[in-house]
Amino acid sequence: MSGETLREGMTASRPDVAAAAADDVARIPTGRAMWAMMAMMLASNLLASFNQSLMNIALDQVSADFHVSLSVANWMVLGFTVVAATVITMAASLLKRYGIRKVMMFGYAASLAGSALGLLAVDFPMMLAARLVQALTVGLFFPVVTSVILTISPADRKGTMLAVNSGVIGVGLAFAPLLAGAMLTYLGLRSLFLIPLVMSAVLLVLGFFLLHDVYRRENRAIDALSVALSFLGLGAVIYGLNEVSRDWLPSIGAMLAGSAVLAAFAWRQLHIETPLLNLSPLRHPRFVVGEALMMLGYMGSIYMSLLVPLYLEGTAGYSAFLTGCLMAGPILCYAVSCFVGGRIEDKHGVWPLVPAGFLLMLLGFVGMEVTSSALLALAMMACAAVSYAGVGLVFPTLKAVDLGSLPKEIYAHGSSIHSTLVQIAGSVGSALFVGVLSADADRLMAAGASKAQAYAAGFSHTLYIDLGILAVALIVSVAFARAMRRR
């Protein structure tokens, strides 16, 4: 009698056990099927990371091609992250209701549709719509893929596979600017959507054969009002930040209104039976402080991924391809630093690792201020590499420590909150920094300054803002890391 037949015979007299086995154990792939599905998960996150960083290097080109300001062009990033953050809050409920196959296949289809729309876009609204459709994929894949990897990995390889997953995302983030820069320089703006189009089509076909449902489905309600509150609240806050340097009074009003809507979202999560986002981890102070530090550190990363390309293209006059090549090195420093930081944290904890990471970020930004003012672009990229190395020490370490401070039964909820806060930090950083630079550039060019001079002044202004943020983060990180060390 085969092992599978034996298992069926043992559970036949217990219908409840048989049902559970059919839904949970029997559907978890093993052997080649498991590794094939693992490869699908890693490829899916590679697609998601490419979609997310697709426009980081293209904002100047979007502004020029569609004759819009940088703050308007920045909605290619802002709209994307607002939609992604909203979908992340829904991901756990969608996974329970529809299963992995349907969720992942929908993600591939959304990426395919959004990429096709972007490839055919004839104006700014059409290309923005393409980005919003692509954002559905990121919002679904980042939390779902992590959950699946933890579920199907062999017990002694879970940590290794999570590290590989982080490495794949890092590779996507490193090579997206290089590939996007080459296509932007030689084939034009719309060609950026060609790579995710091909990747989505291939994964959509392979998904029919290689994806398996590994969780028991539940008829779980998805609260439509919570979805609306999340989307509208985030959108209003981000709009206000993006425009605050242009017209501060309406912008402050939008941010206050958005904050009130988000407060209503949080209140609702605490008072409905099936919350869209379980907020119970926020009752743990160490988790809250650690996530706040993570958001400040991630804003520094967002600054470099968006503002440094604008400086290189707008002030130094480099092509998008050369800019992408220059950005690849510092981002690879981030990927290496993530691995090194993880090894150090395993052996020695967060002290002095996290403060050292913020110190590196701060020193790198000081160096960028000095070198950018002197128009020393290559030296500035070396300083950016130092800052990226600091981000690599801070970001994954804080994630591990924050989640590790929670009781095991709410670990998954903490992970969902973390993914949501990452997108919010990205939106806030992008809106604040690009909004300020755009307002400075428009004002100075209207007064007769050249584009290079205007971009340089805006870059310096935003650098000082982020230096202030990082200085606060460094001070708080010292107290946090020492408290965690005593614990």
Side-chain angles (χ1 to χ4, degrees), residues 54-55 57-62 65 177-192 313 319-321:
L54 186 66
M55 284 289 167
I57 205 170
L59 294 184
D60 189 57
Q61 192 68 44
V62 170
D65 284 6
L178 193 154
L179 295 173
M183 301 191 77
L184 193 62
T185 300
Y186 300 111
L187 298 176
L189 181 62
R190 293 165 188 80
S191 68
L192 294 180
E313 295 174 32
S319 69
F321 175 58

Side-chain angles (χ1 to χ4, degrees), residues 56 75-76 88 125 180 237 258 267 272 299 308 340 369 391 482:
N56 287 0
W75 279 99
M76 291 287 184
I88 283 173
V237 170
W267 182 89
I272 58 177
M299 286 173 66
V308 171
V340 173
E369 167 58 25
V391 176
R482 288 181 67 86

